[in-house]
Amino acid sequence: MQKIGITRRKLMKTLLALGAGSVFFSTLSPFARDGGKVWAFLGDSTPSLETFAALSSLITLHDDLDADSIARMYKVFMDEPWAPEHIEGLHKKIIGALSDEKKRPSLKDPVWKFTDGESWFAGHLLTTWYLGIYYHEERPTQRILYENALQFRAIKGVMPIPYLENVGYGAWTSPPEIKK
C-alpha cells in the first residue's frame, strides 16, 4: 500500500489553483446569461421563454397562444430533465428548415429527421397544448390549461366548456346563437 504524502509545496499549488480558478470564473459572470447559472462560453442549454413560445406556435400551428398559458407550460416543461435539449433541437431544426428562401422542404428531406426523443417531445408538447393536461410517467398528472386548451377552440360558441360555461337544462336542443 502506497503512503500518500502531502507536502507544503503540493498544498500551496492546490490552493493557488483553486484560487486562480475561482477568480477566473468570477470574471466571467458579466458574460453569463440567466442570472449566472450557465457561462456563455460553455453554451447555454436553457431555452428562453420566447424560444418555447415560438416552438409551441410551430408545433400547434397557432400563432395566438395565450401568454399566461405559455408561461405556465414553460415552467412545467423546463422541470423535465431533457426538455431544454429537445426544445432547442426542435426549434433549430424547424426554423432552419423553414428559413430557406425556397419553399418548404418535402417531408422526405433529411432536415425533418428528428431523434426519437425529439419526436416524443413534440407529441408530448402537442398533447399537452390540446388537452391542457400534463402527462408524464415520472411526474404527477396535472391540469395546466383548461379554458385555454386548444381542444376547446374547435367547439367555442357551439358547445359549452364542461364545468366552465353553464347552460340550462335542455339548451342543447336549441341551435346555437350565431355571434358576430
Side-chain angles (χ1 to χ4, degrees), residues 6-97:
I6 298 177
T7 63
R8 285 183 283 174
R9 179 175 288 196
K10 287 181 184 178
L11 182 62
M12 289 304 291
K13 280 183 178 181
T14 304
L15 290 174
L16 285 173
L18 289 173
S22 63
V23 169
F24 173 72
F25 282 113
S26 68
T27 60
L28 291 176
S29 63
F31 304 108
R33 292 176 32 188
D34 294 329
K37 292 181 190 171
V38 180
W39 293 284
F41 76 95
L42 292 175
D44 187 4
S45 63
T46 304
S48 66
L49 179 63
E50 292 78 23
T51 301
F52 181 76
L55 179 64
S56 294
S57 292
L58 289 168
I59 288 181
T60 62
L61 300 178
H62 286 277
D63 292 332
D64 57 345
L65 297 172
D66 181 54
D68 292 334
S69 299
I70 292 172
R72 281 194 307 270
M73 293 270 288
Y74 178 75
K75 183 180 176 185
V76 171
F77 274 89
M78 291 310 293
D79 190 40
E80 288 184 16
W82 298 105
E85 178 184 326
H86 294 319
I87 291 169
E88 285 292 332
L90 283 168
H91 186 259
K92 285 178 184 173
K93 286 180 182 179
I94 294 172
I95 292 294

Side-chain angles (χ1 to χ4, degrees), residues 33-158:
R33 292 176 32 188
D34 294 329
K37 292 181 190 171
V38 180
W39 293 284
F41 76 95
L42 292 175
D44 187 4
S45 63
T46 304
S48 66
L49 179 63
E50 292 78 23
T51 301
F52 181 76
L55 179 64
S56 294
S57 292
L58 289 168
I59 288 181
T60 62
L61 300 178
H62 286 277
D63 292 332
D64 57 345
L65 297 172
D66 181 54
D68 292 334
S69 299
I70 292 172
R72 281 194 307 270
M73 293 270 288
Y74 178 75
K75 183 180 176 185
V76 171
F77 274 89
M78 291 310 293
D79 190 40
E80 288 184 16
W82 298 105
E85 178 184 326
H86 294 319
I87 291 169
E88 285 292 332
L90 283 168
H91 186 259
K92 285 178 184 173
K93 286 180 182 179
I94 294 172
I95 292 294
L98 299 178
S99 66
D100 295 337
E101 296 298 323
K102 52 189 173 185
K103 62 180 185 171
R104 181 183 65 85
S106 77
L107 294 177
K108 294 180 182 177
D109 195 304
V111 75
W112 296 113
K113 299 293 182 204
F114 299 135
T115 65
D116 291 338
E118 289 171 342
S119 297
W120 174 85
F121 186 80
H124 176 51
L125 182 63
L126 186 65
T127 301
T128 306
W129 267 111
Y130 268 90
L131 298 180
I133 299 173
Y134 175 80
Y135 296 104
H136 194 281
E137 62 186 32
E138 296 176 4
R139 291 174 171 39
T141 300
Q142 57 182 312
R143 186 182 80 190
I144 301 173
L145 313 172
Y146 196 66
E147 65 272 5
N148 292 329
L150 297 178
Q151 69 177 340
F152 295 122
R153 286 190 180 187
I155 59 170
K156 188 170 187 164
V158 176

